[in-house]
Amino acid sequence: MNFKFALFFGLTVAVGAPAFAQKAVEAPGGKYAKEAEQMFRTSFKAENPKYWMTRLEQDETMKTCQQYRDNPPRKIGEKLEKLNAATIRYPVDGKLIGDWKEGEKLAAVGTGGHIGFIQPDPAGRVRGGNCYACHELARKEVAYGTIGPSLSNFGKVRGKDEDTIKYVYDKIYNANAFTACTNMPRFGLHNWVTPEQITHIVAFLIDPESPVNRD
Amino acid sequence: MNNQRRTVLKSGSGAALLGMLAAAGIITPGIALADWNKAAFDAKSMADTLKALGAGTPADSKDVQVTGPDIAENGAVVPVGVASTLPNVSMVAILIEKNPNALAASFVLPEGTEANVQTRVKMGQTSNIYALVKSDGKFFMATKEIKVTLGGCGG
Amino acid sequence: MGNPMKIRAANKDGVTEVKVLVSHEMETGQRKDSAGAIVPAWFITELTAKHGDKVVLTSEFGPSVSKNPYLAFKFKGGAKGEKVTVSWKDNKGDSRTDEAAIN
Amino acid sequence: MIRRLMKTLVGVAVFSAFAGGVAAQDSKVADELAKYREALADGNPADLFEVKGESLWLEKRGPNNASLEQCDLGQGPGKLEGAYAALPKYFKDTGKVMDVESRLVHCMMTLQGFTLAEATRQWYSKPGKDSDIEALVTFIGAKSNGKPINVPATHPEEAKMAKMGESIFYRRSGPQDFSCSICHGQEGKRIRLQDLGNLTTKDGAGFAMKTWPSYRVSQGTVWTMQRRLIDCMRQARWPEPAYLADSIIALETYLQKTATGTVMETPGIKR
């Protein structure tokens, strides 16, 4: 028990260290924050269609994370996590693990959803999960980012029981349900990928046949 | 083709003719030299390209080097070079196996020019790069793989 | 006509190293524009370098040479102040010649 | 909850066991990347833009048939040395904090007589259509090479702009929940293989800001800081900011203030 506690404490300190300093930190922009928001909103080209402009709206999570520089006090963080956990939806057939081959494709694709007039994505371009931008996955892909933790051999290490499958699904759907103000996008909440596509990415991480667990 | 060009360049009358045409504004000096090896640049496969270059089946040689990084951060600009310690190198070329057309560039090296040329090429995907060298009238080759990686924000 | 090239030529121990940067689109002929139409190929086909009157390199390029091509090579000889001249022509018949003094 | 935590901890332990091999592979990748970047550095096509920019600076153009030689970029008319490194800056004559591009456009309008639309029509290059502004900014930027970035933002308007830039830096929105800080608010990370500076520190902001304008090999052209930041917003999947918009100038002021003291190495060359 003591050992567990020590580990727990160690981890909390490691993750939460910046939180202690944050009490003294003011919200970004200080007294100009409101004016900055107005300026930001009026900085876009008039030709942007209205439905593009809705992408600038902030929900409570976004607003709060901005205010606390992505490092909210624990109490507020917990509130956001609850709020986000309540958003998670599942595929109609209830199956949370799909086809790893489809997941492998989605993990590599970083395009989709770009708007504007300079280099927008062509209509119908696949929106991927872009997992490699931030995570190491299959070892053969050397061009991986390190914003998130390495996930290579994820299934080998974590197993493939129901709890793990659900955890991975939930995390991809809305990572803010676990860590408020995480860097990871809320893929499911924003319908960036469909619940079915999330099950494929789950399979890519967990399926023993997936290259994530094979090389 | 190269022989033909040299003949033109060497022959006095050829040069005089070129000079006259250029002076008359009919052709620019650049165009006068035109004998771009269309067949070689249009060839798709390695084998067809080598054939069009008259290189047949070149022997692998460790005296030929492909210079360049193992990994390219972007396929639009990949620094590659050819170097060789073989004697009397008169021509070198850079071929990219998986590009739509394998031949990227070829260079004729007159006497006195070293067998060491560097340039930058586009690569559509990870591929083997071949350096082709003509030394004492015979063709030699070397290869290396260059990995082309995707960029950050997926743009 | 195109924009000027940037030519650097430096002699060291009797060998002149030439580095050339050329301003050119090097369009492959495989890219599509925003309307989905193929953009026609437009690229340098030949590039020749001379030291004085002597040709020191002739090159043939395909469209897979990168945009704004770069080329480096070395030849024996060349003295400070002597000229290196580089000329290119492209598949549309455009051409350009620039020169630089050896350092 | 505890169960999940224990799982995480076991996971961390097991992952560390693999770390040896990963580190070896990683350092080889890093070496080869360094080789790639080094090979590009000698022979930066941005030099071609710089040469062109200089001739555009001197050329008499526009309805007034005037050159830009009398343009005041903050150091006095025609004084280019160190001007880029000290921008954005508050200008009395316009009553605004201006960056290099808004000031350059101001000069093209006041000295040469261009309209705003004419001056900014081709603010970035398209294949086959080069941008004069890119060339001019490359030329102006190069005149600050070797000079330290110097944007202390002591004027109240500059200080305000820097603060507003900070607010925008942390602002999250859009279908990926992005903000600048998501990728650029921590040390030692990379996206795919591209290193990400922590732009909230002097070192991180300095490392980033000192190399702009920069030739982007993936784009085949020089990108100005406006172009860089407008594209960041595209990558965030936001709508398109207007060229020379205040929010972009605010971000620039915030970043240059943070980077102040770092010696410029421009033009750069990047992926």
Side-chain angles (χ1 to χ4, degrees):
Chain A
M1 200 57 210
N2 271 345
F3 172 68
K4 263 189 195 173
F5 180 75
L7 272 179
F8 179 78
F9 187 72
L11 193 76
T12 311
V13 169
V15 172
F20 292 114
Q22 147 243 283
K23 260 178 204 146
V25 174
E26 62 166 7
K31 62 177 171 181
Y32 300 115
K34 229 186 198 159
E35 213 176 317
E37 177 65 16
Q38 271 169 1
M39 180 181 77
F40 180 78
R41 292 282 192 140
T42 53
S43 280
F44 293 84
K45 292 184 79 152
E47 300 94 294
N48 286 298
K50 260 203 184 125
Y51 70 98
W52 284 2
M53 294 300 284
T54 59
R55 293 192 180 187
L56 297 178
E57 276 155 28
Q58 294 178 294
D59 66 7
E60 191 181 338
T61 304
M62 292 161 168
K63 258 188 230 163
T64 312
C65 295
Q66 175 184 6
Q67 186 189 341
Y68 290 102
R69 300 173 191 243
D70 300 319
N71 204 353
R74 197 71 293 262
K75 255 202 178 144
I76 293 176
E78 271 166 24
K79 197 182 132 209
L80 290 180
E81 284 155 14
K82 253 189 215 141
L83 200 73
N84 279 285
T87 67
I88 299 174
R89 300 286 176 272
Y90 299 95
V92 231
D93 64 6
K95 214 177 143 229
L96 299 188
I97 182 157
D99 177 356
W100 68 260
K101 283 179 192 146
E102 289 302 312
E104 183 178 35
K105 282 184 226 160
L106 288 164
V109 173
T111 52
H114 294 101
I115 53 178
F117 307 94
I118 303 180
Q119 287 177 322
D121 279 316
R125 187 138 188 200
V126 182
R127 284 198 305 213
N130 204 14
C131 311
Y132 281 107
C134 300
H135 297 282
E136 181 181 30
L137 295 145
R139 278 289 174 75
K140 65 184 175 201
E141 176 56 89
V142 298
Y144 60 86
T146 60
I147 298 169
S150 168
L151 300 174
S152 75
N153 285 307
F154 185 89
K156 229 187 242 175
V157 172
R158 303 285 191 101
K160 50 175 180 167
D161 57 280
E162 251 172 62
D163 277 3
T164 306
I165 290 171
K166 182 175 180 299
Y167 164 68
V168 175
Y169 180 94
D170 288 356
K171 181 100 178 184
I172 298 169
Y173 194 100
N174 189 336
N176 264 279
F178 301 90
T179 316
C181 305
T182 172
N183 293 330
M184 185 160 159
R186 294 174 289 177
F187 291 99
L189 177 76
H190 292 298
N191 203 19
W192 185 264
V193 287
T194 64
E196 194 195 352
Q197 286 174 315
I198 295 178
T199 69
H200 297 327
I201 299 170
V202 171
F204 181 52
L205 283 162
I206 288 180
D207 196 310
E209 293 304 310
S210 156
V212 166
N213 300 312
R214 281 187 74 95
D215 54 17
Chain B
M1 52 125 200
N2 296 320
N3 290 338
Q4 209 178 349
R5 174 192 297 169
R6 281 180 174 171
T7 315
V8 173
L9 284 173
K10 270 182 197 159
S11 102
S13 63
L17 178 65
L18 289 182
M20 271 166 54
L21 290 173
I26 296 168
I27 50 162
T28 65
I31 289 174
L33 294 170
D35 59 357
W36 187 67
N37 192 341
K38 191 171 186 307
F41 281 103
D42 282 352
K44 301 226 176 327
S45 68
M46 283 288 299
D48 288 351
T49 311
L50 291 170
K51 203 170 146 197
L53 288 168
T57 332
D60 286 341
S61 167
K62 53 182 193 318
D63 297 320
V64 176
Q65 278 102 42
V66 189
T67 59
D70 292 355
I71 294 174
E73 218 176 346
N74 191 269
V77 180
V78 183
V80 290
V82 182
S84 174
T85 50
L86 292 168
N88 302 318
V89 173
S90 57
M91 181 268 210
V92 300
I94 296 164
L95 291 82
I96 303 157
E97 188 172 18
K98 291 204 181 147
N99 270 10
N101 306 100
L103 182 59
S106 68
F107 305 90
V108 174
L109 314 178
E111 213 183 315
T113 297
E114 293 186 3
N116 183 353
V117 179
Q118 280 140 50
T119 185
R120 294 169 184 169
V121 296
K122 298 171 198 148
M123 291 176 67
Q125 55 181 309
T126 297
S127 170
N128 281 326
I129 302 265
Y130 290 86
L132 178 71
V133 163
K134 189 178 184 184
S135 156
D136 276 336
K138 274 185 269 180
F139 285 94
F140 300 91
M141 207 155 71
T143 182
K144 94 171 262 176
E145 187 191 56
I146 296 185
K147 267 200 174 78
V148 173
T149 60
L150 284 179
C153 317
Chain C
M1 258 302 285
N3 289 315
M5 286 177 245
K6 191 181 170 193
I7 305 166
R8 292 174 290 165
N11 187 288
K12 204 184 150 197
D13 304 325
V15 174
T16 299
E17 181 171 26
V18 183
K19 293 175 182 176
V20 188
L21 268 173
V22 187
S23 177
H24 203 284
E25 206 59 46
M26 300 301 286
E27 190 65 64
T28 59
Q30 317 218 349
R31 195 176 60 85
K32 285 180 184 161
D33 65 16
S34 51
I38 294 270
V39 181
W42 176 31
F43 58 97
I44 292 176
T45 50
E46 303 199 16
L47 182 144
T48 304
K50 286 181 184 176
H51 166 226
D53 287 336
K54 184 185 184 284
V55 173
V56 285
L57 185 80
T58 51
S59 340
E60 295 188 1
F61 288 176
S64 63
V65 169
S66 299
K67 179 173 179 178
N68 295 323
Y70 171 80
L71 185 65
F73 66 96
K74 294 170 181 177
F75 66 87
K76 285 195 188 80
K80 237 178 206 157
E82 289 178 356
K83 273 182 184 140
V84 169
T85 313
V86 179
S87 313
W88 57 256
K89 74 170 207 88
D90 67 22
N91 68 325
K92 288 187 181 172
D94 199 0
S95 67
R96 182 173 178 103
T97 300
D98 289 284
E99 59 178 37
I102 297 171
N103 264 318
Chain D
M1 199 61 200
I2 290 286
R3 199 175 135 224
R4 177 159 296 146
L5 181 76
M6 282 315 290
K7 249 184 173 174
T8 308
L9 290 171
V10 171
V12 167
V14 178
F15 281 134
S16 338
F18 287 98
V22 173
Q25 193 194 357
D26 265 3
S27 88
K28 192 169 174 286
V29 169
D31 286 354
E32 292 301 321
L33 271 185
K35 223 162 128 188
Y36 174 85
R37 289 169 186 157
E38 203 178 304
L40 294 186
D42 186 27
N44 182 351
D47 294 354
L48 299 165
F49 290 70
E50 188 186 333
V51 172
K52 191 181 161 201
E54 179 168 22
S55 63
L56 284 167
W57 182 262
L58 300 170
E59 195 187 324
K60 290 194 169 80
R61 300 196 307 155
N64 298 350
N65 194 34
S67 79
L68 287 164
E69 287 165 285
Q70 287 307 303
C71 179
D72 180 0
L73 292 167
Q75 308 300 308
K79 292 212 170 121
L80 287 172
E81 261 73 31
Y84 182 100
L87 288 167
K89 195 179 185 327
Y90 176 77
F91 285 85
K92 243 192 201 156
D93 56 2
T94 57
K96 282 168 94 174
V97 176
M98 301 172 92
D99 68 348
V100 65
E101 287 166 77
S102 48
R103 192 64 188 175
L104 173 65
V105 166
H106 170 80
C107 287
M108 290 168 79
M109 292 166 69
T110 53
L111 296 174
Q112 298 182 309
F114 288 116
T115 64
L116 178 66
E118 285 165 347
T120 59
R121 189 166 38 217
Q122 192 78 46
W123 68 270
Y124 64 93
S125 294
K126 293 173 188 155
K129 275 192 215 156
D130 292 342
S131 157
D132 290 349
I133 286 185
E134 277 173 5
L136 282 161
V137 173
T138 310
F139 165 66
I140 296 165
K143 291 281 182 192
S144 281
N145 199 12
K147 301 272 193 314
I149 294 170
N150 181 26
V151 181
T154 43
H155 189 283
E157 289 299 319
E158 295 165 354
K160 182 178 168 187
M161 272 308 237
K163 271 311 224 184
M164 295 209 274
E166 181 194 56
S167 176
I168 295 166
F169 186 83
Y170 286 98
R171 190 186 189 283
R172 299 187 77 158
S173 72
Q176 296 265 56
D177 295 308
F178 281 153
S179 67
C180 307
S181 70
I182 291 306
C183 288
H184 294 288
Q186 42 192 339
E187 301 292 334
K189 303 288 182 188
R190 61 174 210 225
I191 184 161
R192 287 276 189 173
L193 290 174
Q194 285 74 51
D195 297 318
L196 296 164
N198 180 352
L199 301 182
T200 66
T201 66
K202 184 195 161 188
D203 282 356
F207 188 77
M209 299 304 281
K210 70 180 179 183
T211 56
W212 293 92
S214 220
Y215 187 80
R216 296 278 322 271
V217 301
S218 59
Q219 311 292 324
T221 190
V222 166
W223 273 21
T224 64
M225 190 43 64
Q226 284 271 339
R227 179 83 161 97
R228 173 62 276 174
L229 291 172
I230 287 171
D231 192 68
C232 287
M233 297 200 181
R234 183 184 72 95
Q235 293 289 20
R237 272 72 176 183
W238 294 342
E240 190 172 308
Y243 181 53
L244 310 181
D246 277 339
S247 66
I248 302 292
I249 297 173
L251 276 169
E252 289 173 337
T253 310
Y254 169 63
L255 295 172
Q256 286 281 80
K257 178 177 188 256
T258 313
T260 285
T262 313
V263 174
M264 294 284 292
E265 291 173 30
T266 176
I269 182 163
K270 291 173 200 294
R271 182 201 153 260

